[in-house]
Amino acid sequence: MQLSPRNNAVIVNGNTVNGKTADIAITERGSDFYFAICAAMTVSGFCFIALAYRKQRRDRLFHYLTAAVVFVAAIAYFTMGSNLGFTPIHVEYSRSNPKVSGSYRSIYYVRYIDWFITTPLLLLDLLLTAGMPWPTLLWVIIVDWIMIITGLIGALVDSRYKWAYFAFGCFALVYIVYQLVWESRIHARAYGRDVERVFTMCGSLTTVLWILYPVAWGLSEGGNVIAPDSEAVFYGVLDFLAKPIFGALLIWGHRNIEPARLGLAIKDYDGDASVHEKQRPHNGTTNADATGNIPQASSAV
């Protein structure tokens, strides 16, 4: 029997979930694109891990954070390429365009699970580069989670109330953009020109791309304007630029920056002299037995 080279994920898994069928869903081409981005994410992750081994273990923080981002994204894109991780939601706006005509559209909740994990890691990459204090860092991550969760709720709502959640998410995004283009950028300047350069480069890329995500949301989950295949391309290109390309620029920018300069001095067992000092046997005139007791000299009878 000859194996077919075609991608049959859409046929095998189908568009029916929980008794509802999505008649506005990806085709084989959309599935192929999702799998292509999955491959790009996977290759990027292994490259970042390989580059990490050129650094001391205590200096691999940014490599590991960035590799985690693309590996999580790879799993999400494999899921979407397999036509899984979605639920059919009744569209608010019915369109006459045959590519988006129908009653139920595939909404990929797995995309938001990906973002819930990866966007805080991306913010960690940026805010740790800027040397921001931990309270600010944690608060920005909480605001980021608000943005992602409200986006997911809005995507799953089938009435005009979805746009209220969209507005909440946009307000959260405005605060994150403020942190990246103003407060954190100024903070990064204090650590030297090279730190400011890498933060400005990666922070500017993130800011521009993240502003485009609400546009993609409004055209796909929100307004049902573009087809799911076009949605795959829109989000896929944004994610590719925001994760593998961002990661490559960040790691390249950090090549000569030691994390200790940014307040990230991490101890390593191999380089910790105090640990080896404790393990080194001590030679003295008095020997202790296995229980730690000093043997007593026997008295003559």
Side-chain angles (χ1 to χ4, degrees), residues 115 209-218 235 238-240 242-243:
W115 291 343
L209 293 175
W210 282 28
I211 290 174
L212 292 176
Y213 278 93
V215 177
W217 191 98
Y235 278 127
L238 288 178
D239 278 348
F240 178 75
K243 292 172 182 176

Side-chain angles (χ1 to χ4, degrees), residues 2-301:
Q2 185 177 4
L3 295 177
S4 173
R6 293 189 58 183
N7 174 9
N8 295 320
V10 176
I11 299 173
V12 171
N13 293 314
N15 296 322
T16 301
V17 177
N18 297 327
K20 297 178 180 179
T21 300
D23 44 5
I24 309 172
I26 62 169
T27 66
E28 181 182 340
R29 288 179 298 176
S31 176
D32 288 340
F33 188 82
Y34 277 133
F35 281 136
I37 296 296
C38 170
M41 296 287 185
T42 303
V43 171
S44 300
F46 283 114
C47 289
F48 296 153
I49 291 295
L51 290 172
Y53 282 91
R54 301 180 63 182
K55 293 273 191 175
Q56 297 292 329
R57 287 186 302 188
R58 64 177 180 270
D59 296 336
R60 296 175 184 173
L61 175 61
F62 293 99
H63 295 76
Y64 289 155
L65 287 175
T66 311
V69 167
V70 292
F71 280 137
V72 171
I75 296 170
Y77 273 88
F78 176 82
T79 304
M80 292 185 287
S82 302
N83 202 34
L84 299 170
F86 75 92
T87 187
I89 297 296
H90 194 279
V91 296
E92 180 188 0
Y93 303 103
S94 297
R95 305 294 182 183
S96 58
N97 186 337
K99 292 185 177 180
V100 289
S101 63
S103 300
Y104 288 90
R105 183 184 178 104
S106 296
I107 301 298
Y108 286 97
Y109 58 81
V110 70
R111 175 178 288 127
Y112 295 87
I113 297 174
D114 166 11
W115 291 343
F116 190 84
I117 299 172
T118 58
T119 54
L121 297 179
L122 290 170
L123 289 173
L124 275 175
D125 271 336
L126 287 169
L127 299 183
L128 288 177
T129 297
M132 294 299 289
W134 282 99
T136 300
L137 192 150
L138 293 175
W139 173 242
V140 173
I141 288 177
I142 291 172
V143 173
D144 173 66
W145 279 335
I146 293 173
M147 178 181 68
I148 301 303
I149 292 172
T150 53
L152 173 60
I153 296 173
L156 298 178
V157 169
D158 60 1
S159 70
R160 65 178 182 271
Y161 284 84
K162 66 166 63 249
W163 297 103
Y165 292 99
F166 175 78
F168 290 143
C170 288
F171 283 134
L173 177 60
V174 168
Y175 177 77
I176 294 172
V177 168
Y178 161 75
Q179 281 290 335
L180 296 181
V181 303
W182 184 253
E183 189 170 340
S184 297
R185 182 179 57 84
I186 294 175
H187 206 271
R189 186 179 302 166
Y191 289 90
R193 186 71 185 93
D194 52 348
V195 175
E196 182 187 8
R197 185 184 304 112
V198 64
F199 178 84
T200 301
M201 176 175 57
C202 296
S204 299
L205 176 65
T206 299
T207 299
V208 172
L209 293 175
W210 282 28
I211 290 174
L212 292 176
Y213 278 93
V215 177
W217 191 98
L219 294 176
S220 52
E221 294 104 320
N224 189 37
V225 175
I226 61 176
D229 285 352
S230 300
E231 171 190 338
V233 174
F234 201 157
Y235 278 127
V237 171
L238 288 178
D239 278 348
F240 178 75
L241 295 174
K243 292 172 182 176
I245 299 302
F246 166 90
L249 291 175
L250 183 88
I251 290 175
W252 179 80
H254 273 274
R255 67 193 184 282
N256 296 321
I257 300 174
E258 294 184 1
R261 282 180 55 192
L262 308 174
L264 300 172
I266 300 172
K267 285 189 176 182
D268 190 357
Y269 168 82
D270 289 340
D272 194 340
S274 63
V275 173
H276 295 286
E277 183 68 24
K278 291 178 182 177
Q279 291 188 338
R280 188 178 302 139
H282 296 279
N283 295 324
T285 56
T286 304
N287 295 323
D289 60 15
T291 62
N293 298 320
I294 299 177
Q296 302 293 325
S298 58
S299 57
V301 178

